[in-house]
Amino acid sequence: MGDLTQQLVEQIQHAHATKTALNIQAGNTKASLGRHTSGQVIDVSQHTGVLSYNPTELVITARAGTKIEHLNDLLAQTQQRLPFEPPAFAGEATIGGTVAANQSGPSRPWFGSVKDSLLGLGLINGYGQAMQFGGQVMKNVAGFDVTRLQCGAMGGLGLITQVSIKLLPAFKLTQTLTFEMTAQAALDTMQHWSNLSLPITGMCHFQNKGQSLLYVRLQGGISGVEDAQVFLGGESLLPAKADAFWQALNQGTLMQRQDHQTLWCWGGPSDAPFDRVPNTCMINWAGAQRWVLEDTSNTRSQGLEKSLCQYQGGNRLGEVNGTVSVPQKALQQRIKHAFDPHSILNAGRVYSWM
Amino acid sequence: MQALQSSLSDHALPISSAPIRTSTATAKNVALLIHELQQLLPASSVILSTESQRPFECDGLAVYQQLPLITVIPETVDHVQAILRLCHLYQVPLVPRGAGTGLCAGAMPHAEGVLLVMTKLNKILHINANAATATVQPGVRNLALTEAVQDLGLYYAPDPSSQIACTIGGNVAENSGGVHCLKYGLTVNNVLQVKLITIEGQLITLGGEGLDEPGMDLLSLFIGSEGLLGVVVEVKVKLLPRAPRVQVLMAAYDSVTKAGDAVAALIGQGIIPAGLEMMDHLAISAAEDFVKVGYPTEAQALLICELDGTDAEVEEQLAVVSECFKEHGATSIRIAKNATEAQALWQGRKAAFPAVGRISPDYYCMDGTIPRGKVGYVLTRIQELALSYGLRVANVFHAGDGNLHPLILFDASIDGQLEQAELLGGDILTLCVDVGGTITGEHGVGLEKMPQMPYQFADAELAQFRRLKEAFDSECLLNPGKGIPTLKYCQEYRSLQHG
Ligand SMILES: Cc1cc2nc3c(=O)[nH]c(=O)nc-3n(C[C@H](O)[C@H](O)[C@H](O)COP(=O)(O)OP(=O)(O)OC[C@H]3O[C@@H](n4cnc5c(N)ncnc54)[C@H](O)[C@@H]3O)c2cc1C
């Protein structure tokens, strides 16, 4: 546990002066995401520690290298939780990397993504200047929202040194129900249930080993969950089994990608019909996220459509994210330049041109 | 809206030194611009006369007034695109405006520029009941959206008290909140996609069809950017299903500290009400005098709490909330028995601003946010500060998320009181920063809070903001002089601090 801010600042200042490409790394659990890039590793994994946690404020501030698992354990002691349910990746994922990679779990449609809980952060830009944006209070509109801008930037706009996150009370009860049905039937069902004000925190349809199941997770107050369970019916899953399922889903291991395979992720409107994304084998986020596992040799010839991302596997030197419009591309490049004029921080991680 | 209303337009304010970029547009350029605008738009959409522009000279913070050179009221997205292109071509500054209910002079016109009034782009383009989304033009009023989806059992969650008038475009520009933000979030948490026009006239779509996009979160950056980065021409929002049951209750306290502690304790216990508002003694009496809904006028503080969910959930929460309020010394608790009673309890809160307007010739509304646990301390300190200025302050605010709205009462017809009110306001904002909060929770910086920006942010951070602004608008033509102080302004500020 320690504060390495000064050291990190100096490393980036040096890289800025010498125009050396850096590769920001902490738990190194997200190397398989984004494009492969080269660069000298700048290690954030030892920059750890909870800086403040006052349960009555429902806010925690921690250094970027602090592990998600550590935060989950700490928060569980006071019956609180990280609202966006980030994957812990065998205990190695850190909060800084989670924010940079914008990783939120199965409860995303109901409890929001990282940005919805992120209140503030510390950032070292490509000049090597340490800065603070946002804060620890619930509402803050002073200045541009540099804090939320970092979600998904994969470190390309700066090295995140610390984050403040809004918390939520832990659930009193969790129940997982399963329903045997086709993918299209599941899409219709998820749509219907989403609009009923039920305590749903996960809806996923998975086709595996000849089975085609809709998983529905209910979480909340005891009476709310019990009532919803009676209302929905279905088979209830044992807690240990259910837990293993949602964890595997969250960590991306449910589909067990082999080396010769590419895992594609589609993001779009939850009411898009099933055939909108051919060969879907898993539907998450009540239909808003769909996954396709294919042999890498089965390459998609066209340029990537905007809503499709080559999540894992395949060629990681080409583009892995969908194309953006020409004006938006130019805008993103100017923003990158505004933070990192020599493009030394995680350059090319999201797009080859950034 | 009466905030600072009767104040003189030429009043010298501490802020008046704020730099407004003097336009480099030549008289010839301006003449060409006007000519082209008249070719492009219907005659009624290009307003040049002083008399007709008068209604646009300020927003809800009426002490800051300025007539624009030209007021333009586009009717289509193509119009907006063409207007921006022309302003860019002729280097004329442009200020976007929605309904003009903003409280930070963000929509105050530029003396040498175009005021772009967006209220005629007021169509609801598409409602998708299945996916619970709506796509609207920026001039749609906040309440009109919720009314349009009511029959589907849906609503749009961010509900500023100005919702009857304010526009979705203005809400996006300010990242507005409302009494239900505590549970359902601000504008940034409820918008899925924004289409904007850059100063160069390019259309850019931020956010996608799905929930998350790869790469930096430009949508979040844009929300709350106060018209400095682009003009919103279309917004896709998330709609929420109406909760089956809503329950309102009210608790009275004999001290603001006890009420503040009750709020912190309740949240700490894991209850997030749909809304949790607080009023202090002055606000309670003013509201009761005005709407007569049976508020206990002897109370020093009142909490109004709204719970929502299924019957079972609400019952479960109601028991915990009542217990917690009692434990923290509530002198009385009233649980609304039906919708009419619930409405009455809210009515006083909703009428609090005009009610305060009845007991003082002028008032000035602040918007700092602080950690919840500091509410008691900060309210007490505000009263001490007010006393030292010889002014009164009424408080009615979003206690659940620590967003204060101190209303400074003053009389602008008394020499020097406006300046005193401004100085007290400044002290309150720096107090908020000192306890770990911010100078604005939902109203924005605009022109008004420029003096406090260098107090909250260090030079490197302000410089980063400026570089971001330049990435969108390299010539600083969009809403110049607002939101982000210039380097010169910051240098002057620092030399005053150290000098
Ligand atoms: C009585 C009263 C109560 C209020 N209560 C609340 C409250 O509870 N919560 C809250 O958050 N606010 C509140 N406000 C403040 C105000 O209503 C909000 O800031 C609102 O979002 C402003 O919307 P508007 O359409 O009036 O925008 P305007 O005042 O016209 O403009 C506000 C800012 O947005 C920019 N802008 C407007 N339209 C566009 C566009 N299309 N593209 C780009 N930029 C644009 C303007 O340049 C300006 O900087 C209140 C105001 C009043 C008068």
Side-chain angles (χ1 to χ4, degrees):
Chain A
M1 183 188 286
D3 180 7
L4 301 184
T5 310
Q6 192 47 37
Q7 191 178 315
L8 295 166
V9 161
E10 282 162 18
Q11 275 176 278
I12 295 181
Q13 281 175 350
H14 182 254
H16 173 71
T18 55
K19 299 192 178 158
T20 311
L22 295 177
N23 196 347
I24 307 167
Q25 187 177 304
N28 199 23
T29 60
K30 294 166 185 77
S32 63
L33 310 180
R35 297 178 64 255
H36 276 183
T37 56
S38 52
Q40 200 174 306
V41 170
I42 176 165
D43 184 10
V44 193
S45 66
Q46 303 306 308
H47 183 62
T48 61
V50 171
L51 297 172
S52 74
Y53 173 42
N54 182 351
T56 62
E57 291 291 335
L58 283 178
V59 175
I60 193 163
T61 300
R63 293 200 182 100
T66 312
K67 303 228 157 98
I68 295 291
E69 193 171 78
H70 176 71
L71 294 176
N72 286 342
D73 290 348
L74 181 73
L75 297 176
Q77 290 169 24
T78 39
Q79 287 83 51
Q80 294 186 351
R81 66 188 165 95
L82 297 171
F84 48 96
E85 200 187 358
F89 290 120
E92 289 306 310
T94 64
I95 187 66
T98 298
V99 170
N102 192 24
Q103 297 239 310
S104 36
S107 64
R108 164 71 181 93
W110 300 274
F111 287 96
S113 70
V114 179
K115 72 143 197 278
D116 294 298
S117 303
L118 190 63
L119 299 175
L121 47 71
L123 188 78
I124 307 174
N125 64 10
Y127 293 88
Q129 293 169 316
M131 305 177 290
Q132 296 287 331
F133 296 100
Q136 300 190 0
V137 289
M138 295 300 124
K139 292 158 100 177
N140 186 352
V141 294
F144 296 129
D145 198 340
V146 173
T147 302
R148 293 191 176 93
L149 177 65
Q150 304 308 318
C151 299
M154 297 292 273
L157 303 179
L159 183 152
I160 297 170
T161 53
Q162 66 180 60
V163 300
S164 294
I165 291 168
K166 177 167 119 179
L167 306 170
L168 281 179
F171 299 112
K172 299 231 161 54
L173 185 64
T174 297
Q175 268 292 350
T176 296
L177 309 171
T178 61
F179 304 81
E180 177 106 45
M181 63 174 82
T182 65
Q184 184 57 60
L187 280 171
D188 297 338
T189 306
M190 290 191 279
Q191 201 76 74
H192 178 56
W193 288 348
S194 288
N195 291 337
L196 290 185
S197 215
L198 294 164
I200 293 174
T201 65
M203 280 204 274
C204 168
H205 182 266
F206 184 42
Q207 292 169 326
N208 189 31
K209 299 185 183 126
Q211 262 200 326
S212 182
L213 287 183
L214 170 65
Y215 292 77
V216 177
R217 186 175 61 179
L218 301 167
Q219 289 180 297
I222 292 163
S223 50
V225 169
E226 283 174 349
D227 290 356
Q229 188 180 355
V230 172
F231 176 79
L232 294 177
E235 288 279 319
S236 122
L237 214 59
L238 287 174
K241 241 180 135 177
D243 210 42
F245 173 81
W246 296 107
Q247 282 228 15
L249 169 66
N250 201 0
Q251 313 210 359
T253 50
L254 201 57
M255 275 164 300
Q256 302 182 345
R257 184 185 68 84
Q258 310 294 311
D259 280 348
H260 66 279
Q261 290 177 314
T262 304
L263 184 58
W264 299 88
C265 178
W266 175 89
S270 54
D271 62 341
F274 179 72
D275 55 17
R276 173 75 182 71
V277 191
N279 302 327
T280 294
C281 57
M282 199 256 284
I283 304 172
N284 193 14
W285 291 358
Q289 193 187 53
R290 307 190 192 175
W291 298 81
V292 178
L293 191 59
E294 274 182 355
D295 276 359
T296 300
S297 55
N298 211 355
T299 43
R300 290 165 186 261
S301 52
Q302 270 88 34
L304 290 183
E305 69 158 300
K306 187 170 180 277
S307 45
L308 203 60
C309 141
Q310 184 183 326
Y311 192 75
Q312 279 175 332
N315 172 19
R316 316 281 321 160
L317 295 171
E319 299 299 351
V320 297
N321 288 308
T323 41
V324 297
S325 72
V326 175
Q328 168 149 187
K329 176 176 168 182
L331 177 63
Q332 290 204 25
Q333 286 172 321
R334 290 197 300 272
I335 292 174
K336 166 81 172 160
H337 192 261
F339 282 88
D340 179 19
H342 296 330
S343 211
I344 55 170
L345 299 173
N346 282 8
R349 197 69 209 279
V350 182
Y351 299 107
S352 63
W353 40 265
M354 264 251 319
Chain B
M1 179 62 213
Q2 186 198 357
L4 291 179
Q5 204 163 59
S6 54
S7 325
L8 306 165
S9 60
D10 58 352
H11 214 103
L13 291 159
I15 184 73
S16 61
S17 59
I20 304 244
R21 176 186 181 282
T22 342
S23 153
T24 53
T26 60
K28 188 173 154 231
N29 274 3
V30 169
L32 284 168
L33 173 75
I34 292 174
H35 177 73
E36 290 206 39
L37 286 173
Q38 282 170 334
Q39 300 284 305
L40 182 77
L41 297 157
S44 61
S45 293
V46 184
I47 306 176
L48 294 166
S49 80
T50 302
E51 205 176 308
S52 308
Q53 293 196 94
R54 197 60 80 190
F56 300 110
E57 70 184 345
C58 65
D59 64 9
L61 184 55
V63 71
Y64 298 100
Q65 301 181 343
Q66 176 62 61
L67 276 175
L69 201 61
I70 321 161
T71 299
V72 185
I73 313 182
E75 290 173 359
T76 64
V77 176
D78 287 345
H79 285 168
V80 178
Q81 203 158 7
I83 295 164
L84 281 154
R85 274 200 192 116
L86 289 173
C87 284
H88 186 244
L89 176 67
Y90 294 117
Q91 295 286 294
V92 175
L94 179 135
V95 177
R97 177 186 165 108
T101 67
L103 291 175
C104 62
M108 189 192 81
H110 190 288
E112 297 164 48
V114 168
L115 183 73
L116 184 72
V117 181
M118 300 297 288
T119 45
K120 279 195 185 165
L121 277 93
N122 60 358
K123 286 177 206 60
I124 295 178
L125 300 171
H126 182 60
I127 294 168
N128 181 342
N130 278 336
T133 61
T135 306
V136 304
Q137 289 191 317
V140 169
R141 288 176 304 110
N142 177 297
L143 187 61
L145 172 56
T146 280
E147 283 170 353
V149 297
Q150 202 156 286
D151 289 347
L152 300 167
L154 299 169
Y155 71 108
Y156 177 57
D159 54 348
S161 310
S162 53
Q163 71 178 152
I164 190 164
C166 67
T167 66
I168 298 293
N171 295 170
V172 167
E174 298 289 16
N175 189 15
S176 300
V179 291
H180 292 102
C181 291
L182 177 59
K183 185 164 174 186
Y184 297 108
L186 300 152
T187 302
V188 71
N189 310 109
N190 290 278
V191 165
L192 301 170
Q193 192 182 68
V194 166
K195 289 189 180 165
L196 65 101
I197 310 282
T198 65
I199 186 65
E200 280 146 359
Q202 283 170 321
L203 178 85
I204 292 188
T205 304
L206 303 179
E209 290 288 304
L211 292 176
D212 295 319
E213 293 266 277
M216 60 176 88
D217 191 348
L218 282 172
L219 178 60
S220 294
L221 170 71
F222 188 81
I223 294 173
S225 62
E226 303 193 11
L228 267 72
L229 303 182
V231 175
V232 182
V233 291
E234 194 182 300
V235 186
K236 184 171 163 191
V237 301
K238 180 166 95 181
L239 302 170
L240 295 182
R242 285 229 176 258
R245 176 160 164 209
V246 174
Q247 175 69 58
V248 180
L249 72 156
M250 176 181 89
Y253 289 85
D254 59 14
S255 92
V256 289
T257 309
K258 283 184 195 165
D261 291 348
V263 168
L266 182 65
I267 307 270
Q269 277 182 35
I271 302 281
I272 312 274
L276 183 54
E277 302 281 305
M278 182 161 156
M279 294 166 78
D280 72 0
H281 181 67
L282 195 51
I284 300 166
S285 342
E288 180 57 24
D289 263 4
F290 186 31
V291 294
K292 310 220 166 24
V293 287
Y295 281 177
T297 46
E298 72 288 352
Q300 290 301 314
L302 211 55
L303 293 179
I304 300 171
C305 176
E306 183 176 299
L307 303 169
D308 68 358
T310 59
D311 259 337
E313 283 169 331
V314 170
E315 283 303 326
E316 215 170 281
Q317 289 193 13
L318 188 59
V320 181
V321 174
S322 310
E323 190 51 43
C324 174
F325 283 174
K326 258 187 234 143
E327 236 171 68
H328 285 82
T331 50
S332 71
I333 293 183
R334 215 167 103 190
I335 298 172
K337 286 190 212 66
N338 50 46
T340 320
E341 271 194 44
Q343 216 178 348
L345 292 185
W346 268 126
Q347 203 189 342
R349 161 64 183 92
K350 290 194 172 153
F353 281 28
V356 166
R358 292 170 76 233
I359 60 165
S360 170
D362 301 278
Y363 69 85
Y364 184 25
C365 175
M366 303 277 95
D367 176 44
T369 304
I370 56 169
R372 274 183 281 258
K374 300 271 168 53
V375 166
Y377 166 75
V378 170
L379 289 187
T380 310
R381 185 75 194 109
I382 288 176
Q383 292 309 333
E384 289 167 11
L385 285 168
L387 208 62
S388 72
Y389 280 95
L391 293 171
R392 290 186 302 165
V393 173
N395 282 288
V396 33
F397 64 99
H398 314 304
D401 35 34
N403 185 193
L404 304 178
H405 287 324
L407 303 173
I408 302 173
L409 313 191
F410 70 102
D411 184 347
S413 66
I414 299 176
D415 227 18
Q417 271 216 351
L418 170 61
E419 286 79 1
Q420 291 296 301
E422 288 246 338
L423 289 172
L424 172 56
D427 283 357
I428 291 174
L429 295 187
T430 49
L431 169 65
C432 292
V433 176
D434 291 342
V435 299
T438 174
I439 58 175
T440 174
E442 57 181 19
H443 293 169
V445 175
L447 186 60
E448 180 211 11
K449 298 178 197 78
M450 209 67 115
Q452 284 80 34
M453 282 296 279
Y455 191 79
Q456 180 162 340
F457 294 100
D459 287 344
E461 293 148 6
L462 293 167
Q464 188 63 69
F465 288 149
R466 283 192 295 272
R467 286 196 300 274
L468 252 178
K469 160 82 172 157
E470 283 160 20
F472 282 81
D473 173 23
S474 60
E475 284 139 319
C476 267
L477 292 169
L478 277 170
N479 215 356
K482 317 270 180 67
I484 308 295
T486 61
L487 179 61
K488 185 156 166 280
Y489 185 89
C490 296
Q491 284 166 341
E492 280 171 15
Y493 173 87
R494 303 267 181 243
S495 71
L496 277 175
Q497 296 299 299
H498 303 298

